Amino acid sequence: MDSKKLSSENINDVAEKIKAIVGEANVKINEEKCCICAAVSSTEDVAAVSRVANSFGVRISACGGVRLDMSKMNKVEVDAKNYAVKVKAGATWKEIMDAAAAENLMVPSHPFDVDETVGKWIAANTVGIGTYKYGPSKDNVLNVELVLFDGTVIETGYNDIGAYMSGYNFNQFVSGSEGTFGVVVSATLKLVPAGVKKTVAYEFAGKLSAAAPAVQAVMHSAGLVPYCFCYSNKNGKNVITISYQGDEKFVDLDIADTDEIMAANGGSKIDVPQCPCDNKDGKGVIIPAVNWAAFVDAVQFEVSGMFADPYTAYFHICEKCADNLIEVATSMGGRTTCSAFCKDRIDSIRDENTAAYMKELKSYLRSCDVSEKAKSGDKLARKMDDETMIEFENILGKDNVNTNPEETLLYCHDLAPLPKMAGLAFKNIPDVVLRPSKTEQLSAIMKIAYKKGIPVTPRGNSTWGLGGSQPTDAGIVIDMSSKMNKVTVDPDTMTVTAQAGATWKEVFDECQEAGFVIGSTPSSFPAATVGAWLATNGMGIGSYKYGGAKDGVLNIEAVLPDGTVINTGYKNIGDYVSGYNLNQLFAGSEGTLCLFASVTMRMHPAGIIKPIAYEFENYLGDANAAIQAIVAHPSLRPYHISWSDSNHFANQRRAHVHAPNVKNIILITLQGDEKHVALEEAAADEIFAANGGKKVEDPSVGPHEWEERCYEFRARKVGVGEIPAEVITPTNVWGAFIDECYKGFDTMKMELGGVIGEVVDRNTSLFMPYYFKDDESLLGMTAFAFNFYLGDRAVEYGGRTTGFGIFFAWNLDNVHDANTVSFMRGFKTFQDPHDVMNPGHVVCGMTRFGVNMSHGLMTLGSALMQMVKKIMPPNTTFADNIERFKENRTDEAKVEDRKHVLGRGYE
């Protein structure tokens, strides 16, 4: 339905229906401006008013049509144990900040005007206080309750945990939508421990650009992360003002290091002036931070502003200087921070394809009607033929078009340890494997596939185990890892651009060689590819400090199902106020919405990486108090926090795999400059000593476990399957859920491998308790009952399972409410009406026999499998195989028994 404005003909009819919902006293009519203002007090009110407006084809908007007064919806509820606050959209930031402060917590970032409402800030994706350290609204939202324009209520995330590996990432998509996605009615936001804030200022002689070397030194420091990073050349003074926040010892070290940097680069410490970030109207321009010095030299007026992040410089503008600042900013790759959707501004700040896609997306979100679009794929052939093969050969060359049956067979599965007959449910052998090397080839392939309705399955190195890269209906497999694996590092902008088929190890190594680290990587990073892990919205090594897969992305060069190439962000500047947040939207899509061609990501100054092991002698769960104390520390932000229990190490030794002689280990891996790492280590030592843990005396244990971070399952060498049951829960229930893991092993009669996992962020912990499984027998499949069992237990603790692929696509209905699932499925149809992008994954699971792997059917199967497993004898596969395969000791025996002495042969 096309939206239209209110008119004199319908305004009274619309108003009468709205009065029936909220009461006559809560409706105001402005006939001169032809708009209605309705004061709402609940989600139900907003949904009902939206349905009325939608029935008349009228917009709900802040500048016409039906306006919503949400001032009565201002409830604020702090959940201190989960480091979260649930707020209604009409609450102001001052109200939220005051409530958080009462619990010694704070909001990570907020708008310049603290009287602004939370709903407005979330939808805007703009610069504010604290964004340098914590990011804008999109980086600090756990969940948004959103009313779509037809009155449907959806929830984009979760109140207690991160939205990792949970389908299409609408959580961050709200940010930047500027009200065109729907009406924000409530949100759950992250909170962080407050600590202290201290501000310092430095003056530079000559021009403000004289501060550029000092600015770069701070940005390239491996220890310094300012809370606010401001600048001004007003009143004849060139001033850099920096605020730090956290534990006082850390803040004092930050300031001491900053003093040293500034003095070495011509800065003189001065009394702190009024903060130049006080800009309540929020009007400004942004430019790439690398152009900051050139910009301040080029403009004709005094300037003030702040670095929004290490890539983006924000400048306030006033009426008299606006034209000059906008002109210079545009010439240097920047833009204004005005609404992206106002007066088709999107056309001037995005490339043609991306702007057109956003406009189409905006139109879709007005109605969410895909009925007509879905019909466009009804009469497609959906088959490969000789003509199509020739087209592919013309695009790629014959050597890169492979139909050899022996080779296509290799592309029919991933690492899932399933019996061969499991593949019979799908047409999992592709008709052809294509090996492109550049974006233009990907685009050409998709145009042909879309036109003919041929399924396309993107594939990296297939290191996942849920069937994510397994075809369901034959068609095309695109091998991304063979030739799309170039990596380019740019130290000046602190970015790395990688083609989607590059491995994370290749990216990590290139970054380290240049003196940087990539934010986070999967545990399978030696083989896992960039595009594949990003497509799962994964969490992994480094996530505690730098966020998950999606959080390091600046831009994705993406190929849509019809072959259109778009850019989701920008390569050298943040995507503030630039339309829909496509950077994170496609994370979690598992290849069902687009192909990733290349990804530009943030790099961080490396410093040193120091892994430290702490031991708990009796029981892994005894570490709970220490874990909670680390999470509560305002400045202790390890690069990675992981754990391994005594069973893990004992079973490795039983399998004759080298393992340290320790019990239950918490591995704290620190990263940064040496002084900050030393301070973090001292804080960690104190926390563990106070909570029953002891630092492992052997200095080789920590580095050994860090080097083994990708190889947790070496005990499988004795010929068994070693399967983790991956679930996430709120971090605050870590200790209780450790207990639950061990109970689960007993209840389900499993052969316990070990309890391992990682603290992903303050809100989220990933548990990977693993067991041994018989891969030689069909009955071995019953061991998967433990995964179902533990997933059910995770839900009881506010958690869930992770990822979908083919085999768990039905689980989408478990991890989201019905309205949200329905919206996701509709979005897939909007994006891919011909259903060619990795069909059968994430949003549906249809077998080749037409049987839908529905939520109801698979839930019943899960319950039956658990019941059967409980009555079967306990598993003993690992113990049996150790006895069966004594020859596994052959290599070790050779080392022990054969001693070569020069001149005497072997004895």
Side-chain angles (χ1 to χ4, degrees):
M1 179 189 297
D2 292 331
S3 63
K4 54 179 178 280
K5 295 181 179 179
L6 284 171
S7 66
S8 57
E9 287 80 18
N10 64 13
I11 189 170
N12 290 318
D13 291 338
V14 175
E16 287 303 313
K17 288 187 176 292
I18 294 176
K19 287 175 183 177
I21 297 167
V22 300
E24 186 171 352
N26 291 312
V27 177
K28 296 179 180 178
I29 303 173
N30 187 326
E31 294 189 2
E32 182 180 345
K33 294 184 178 180
C34 210
C35 68
I36 298 170
C37 181
V40 291
S41 57
S42 68
T43 300
E44 293 74 20
D45 283 354
V46 176
V49 171
S50 295
R51 284 191 289 271
V52 168
N54 192 60
S55 69
F56 282 88
V58 173
R59 296 181 304 172
I60 287 187
S61 130
C63 55
V66 176
R67 296 179 57 194
L68 298 178
D69 174 358
M70 304 183 77
S71 58
K72 295 180 181 179
M73 297 179 65
N74 62 352
K75 188 175 182 180
V76 177
E77 298 176 275
V78 173
D79 182 0
K81 67 180 182 180
N82 281 315
Y83 299 92
V85 56
K86 187 169 185 179
V87 300
K88 293 295 184 181
T92 67
W93 282 95
K94 185 178 188 310
E95 292 169 327
I96 299 167
M97 292 160 69
D98 288 346
E103 301 287 346
N104 294 316
L105 300 170
M106 56 176 270
V107 294
S109 62
H110 60 82
F112 298 117
D113 183 0
V114 295
D115 292 323
E116 186 174 302
T117 60
V118 67
K120 181 179 178 182
W121 166 254
I122 287 173
N125 188 29
T126 193
V127 178
I129 304 297
T131 58
Y132 192 96
K133 183 173 184 177
Y134 293 110
S137 62
K138 67 182 174 64
D139 296 321
N140 296 299
V141 172
L142 287 168
N143 186 34
V144 177
E145 186 183 26
L146 191 75
V147 176
L148 305 181
F149 292 114
D150 65 358
T152 301
V153 182
I154 67 171
E155 293 198 39
T156 62
Y158 305 90
N159 291 328
D160 300 328
I161 54 175
Y164 307 97
M165 303 173 74
S166 60
Y168 304 152
N169 183 19
F170 294 121
N171 210 30
Q172 293 175 299
F173 182 66
V174 176
S175 185
S177 64
E178 300 179 13
T180 65
F181 186 6
V183 180
V184 175
V185 289
S186 71
T188 303
L189 311 173
K190 297 177 184 177
L191 296 176
V192 295
V196 301
K197 289 179 189 169
K198 294 184 179 182
T199 303
V200 286
Y202 308 88
E203 186 174 355
F204 289 80
K207 297 180 178 180
L208 181 57
S209 58
V215 166
Q216 287 298 307
V218 171
M219 288 182 172
H220 285 253
S221 165
L224 298 177
V225 185
Y227 176 68
C228 279
F229 195 165
C230 303
Y231 44 81
S232 172
N233 65 358
K234 292 187 175 182
N235 302 316
K237 292 186 175 182
N238 305 306
V239 178
I240 301 293
T241 306
I242 301 180
S243 298
Y244 291 103
Q245 170 268 328
D247 178 86
E248 189 162 21
K249 289 181 181 178
F250 286 77
V251 169
D252 288 344
L253 175 59
D254 292 339
I255 291 175
D257 281 0
T258 305
D259 287 347
E260 192 174 309
I261 287 172
M262 295 295 168
N265 288 281
S268 302
K269 197 168 186 179
I270 61 173
D271 292 337
V272 178
Q274 181 180 355
C275 179
C277 298
D278 185 14
N279 180 42
K280 289 191 175 184
D281 65 14
K283 293 179 181 178
V285 296
I286 58 174
I287 63 165
V290 292
N291 296 334
W292 177 79
F295 181 87
V296 296
D297 282 345
V299 296
Q300 301 169 3
F301 297 89
E302 293 180 335
V303 295
S304 64
M306 63 187 295
F307 292 102
D309 56 44
Y311 312 91
T312 313
Y314 169 82
F315 292 83
H316 308 313
I317 59 174
C318 59
E319 188 173 341
K320 70 175 183 177
C321 69
D323 290 343
N324 177 237
L325 264 63
I326 293 170
E327 180 183 356
V328 178
T330 302
S331 70
M332 294 187 178
R335 58 185 185 273
T336 69
T337 56
C338 301
S339 168
F341 293 113
C342 181
K343 298 179 181 178
D344 288 329
R345 177 173 167 267
I346 198 73
D347 291 318
S348 65
I349 62 173
R350 291 284 192 169
D351 63 80
E352 183 178 353
N353 285 349
T354 307
Y357 173 71
M358 286 195 179
K359 289 179 180 179
E360 184 182 7
L361 185 50
K362 179 184 175 185
S363 177
Y364 160 70
L365 293 172
R366 286 300 313 174
S367 66
C368 297
D369 183 4
V370 293
S371 55
E372 288 301 316
K373 202 167 188 179
K375 295 176 184 177
S376 64
D378 287 350
K379 297 181 180 181
L380 300 176
R382 300 194 178 278
K383 291 182 180 180
M384 294 290 298
D385 53 33
D386 292 342
E387 179 187 348
T388 305
M389 290 295 184
I390 292 171
E391 289 184 87
F392 289 148
E393 289 175 358
N394 290 337
I395 295 167
L396 302 172
K398 286 187 178 182
D399 290 345
N400 296 310
V401 179
N402 195 334
T403 58
N404 185 306
E406 287 80 10
E407 293 199 41
T408 55
L409 184 64
L410 298 175
Y411 289 82
C412 74
H413 62 87
D414 60 9
L415 285 185
L418 299 172
K420 292 180 181 179
M421 63 182 63
L424 295 177
F426 310 97
K427 295 179 182 178
N428 60 335
I429 301 175
D431 296 309
V432 62
V433 176
L434 305 180
R435 297 188 177 98
S437 60
K438 50 190 177 182
T439 304
E440 294 78 8
Q441 292 173 341
L442 283 179
S443 175
I445 291 167
M446 288 311 307
K447 286 177 180 177
I448 294 168
Y450 187 78
K451 180 180 178 181
K452 299 185 178 185
I454 303 170
V456 175
T457 304
R459 178 185 172 100
N461 280 326
S462 288
T463 58
W464 211 22
L466 301 182
S469 61
Q470 175 178 317
T472 59
D473 194 22
I476 302 162
V477 162
I478 297 182
D479 180 352
M480 300 292 291
S481 62
S482 292
K483 297 191 173 183
M484 292 202 68
N485 49 24
K486 295 183 179 68
V487 179
T488 305
V489 169
D490 186 344
D492 292 335
T493 62
M494 293 193 291
T495 63
V496 55
T497 299
Q499 287 185 302
T503 67
W504 284 97
K505 185 179 188 305
E506 290 168 335
V507 176
F508 191 85
D509 289 349
E510 290 287 337
C511 292
Q512 278 217 310
E513 188 174 334
F516 296 89
V517 293
I518 197 73
S520 57
T521 60
S523 58
S524 54
F525 87 99
T529 58
V530 168
W533 192 53
L534 177 57
T536 68
N537 189 16
M539 60 208 126
I541 299 160
S543 290
Y544 191 85
K545 185 169 187 175
Y546 293 117
K550 67 184 185 306
D551 297 308
V553 174
L554 286 168
N555 182 55
I556 302 169
E557 188 181 33
V559 181
L560 301 182
D562 66 358
T564 301
V565 180
I566 65 171
N567 286 282
T568 62
Y570 303 87
K571 288 189 175 183
N572 62 352
I573 186 173
D575 61 351
Y576 305 94
V577 200
S578 59
Y580 297 119
N581 180 21
L582 303 180
N583 263 345
Q584 279 83 36
L585 170 63
F586 298 142
S589 63
E590 297 183 18
T592 62
L593 297 181
C594 66
L595 295 176
F596 297 157
S598 67
V599 184
T600 300
M601 297 168 283
R602 297 174 172 90
M603 298 191 303
H604 307 274
I608 63 171
I609 294 178
K610 185 173 186 179
I612 309 164
Y614 298 90
E615 185 175 20
F616 288 81
E617 182 76 18
N618 298 320
Y619 179 57
L620 179 60
D622 292 341
N624 182 60
I627 292 289
Q628 303 305 329
I630 289 172
V631 168
H633 196 285
S635 292
L636 179 51
R637 293 299 299 274
Y639 184 59
H640 191 53
I641 305 173
S642 60
W643 65 84
S644 304
D645 78 339
S646 57
N647 299 287
H648 171 74
F649 297 113
N651 285 326
Q652 286 189 322
R653 289 191 290 269
R654 287 175 68 196
H656 305 292
V657 174
H658 173 68
N661 186 24
V662 292
K663 296 293 186 179
N664 306 287
I665 290 294
I666 307 295
L667 185 69
I668 303 295
T669 303
L670 306 174
Q671 174 266 323
D673 80 283
E674 291 193 23
K675 287 187 286 187
H676 282 81
V677 166
L679 192 55
E680 285 189 291
E681 182 177 0
D685 288 350
E686 185 177 336
I687 285 172
F688 280 97
N691 290 284
K694 65 176 182 178
K695 197 172 189 177
V696 176
E697 293 182 3
D698 184 346
S700 70
V701 172
H704 175 272
E705 288 306 290
W706 174 247
E707 290 302 317
E708 287 290 298
R709 64 193 182 279
C710 304
Y711 308 105
E712 305 100 326
F713 306 119
R714 289 192 188 274
R716 64 170 55 134
K717 67 178 284 188
V718 301
V720 297
E722 205 170 350
I723 312 300
E726 292 192 12
V727 299
I728 57 176
T729 74
T731 298
N732 82 85
V733 300
W734 186 88
F737 203 76
I738 289 288
D739 296 345
E740 202 65 58
C741 291
Y742 291 113
K743 289 178 186 175
F745 283 122
D746 290 339
T747 300
M748 301 306 294
K749 300 181 181 178
M750 307 302 297
E751 193 172 17
L752 191 159
V755 178
I756 62 175
E758 61 191 55
V759 182
V760 179
D761 58 39
R762 282 194 171 97
N763 311 93
T764 314
S765 286
L766 169 65
F767 291 81
M768 296 187 292
Y770 65 91
Y771 54 88
F772 299 112
K773 169 185 169 292
D774 184 355
D775 282 344
E776 300 176 52
S777 166
L778 184 60
L779 285 176
M781 285 283 289
T782 60
F784 285 117
F786 181 74
N787 296 62
F788 296 130
Y789 172 90
L790 201 70
D792 292 342
R793 300 291 80 73
V795 171
E796 295 173 6
Y797 285 81
R800 56 180 171 79
T801 57
T802 59
F804 303 103
I806 296 175
F807 304 118
F808 289 90
W810 59 274
N811 210 31
L812 188 70
D813 293 279
N814 275 343
V815 303
H816 289 290
D817 64 82
N819 284 348
T820 305
V821 171
S822 177
F823 181 74
M824 284 189 181
R825 289 179 174 143
F827 190 85
K828 162 67 173 172
T829 303
F830 157 76
Q831 183 85 355
D832 181 20
H834 292 186
D835 197 23
V836 296
M837 284 301 313
N838 218 10
H841 296 70
V842 183
V843 294
C844 64
M846 185 72 71
T847 70
R848 69 193 301 172
F849 308 111
V851 177
N852 184 14
M853 297 167 62
S854 67
H855 172 248
L857 178 64
M858 298 306 293
T859 300
L860 176 62
S862 164
L864 289 173
M865 186 179 284
Q866 291 182 56
M867 183 176 67
V868 169
K869 183 67 181 69
K870 288 176 182 178
I871 63 177
M872 289 178 65
N875 288 99
T876 58
T877 304
F878 184 61
D880 294 344
N881 275 23
I882 289 176
E883 188 65 26
R884 286 171 62 198
F885 298 121
K886 290 183 178 179
E887 61 268 28
N888 273 315
R889 283 278 295 153
T890 302
D891 290 340
E892 290 88 341
K894 286 179 180 178
V895 173
E896 294 170 2
D897 297 341
R898 296 173 63 190
K899 298 179 181 178
H900 179 229
V901 179
L902 189 64
R904 297 174 58 186
Y906 292 91
E907 58 181 25

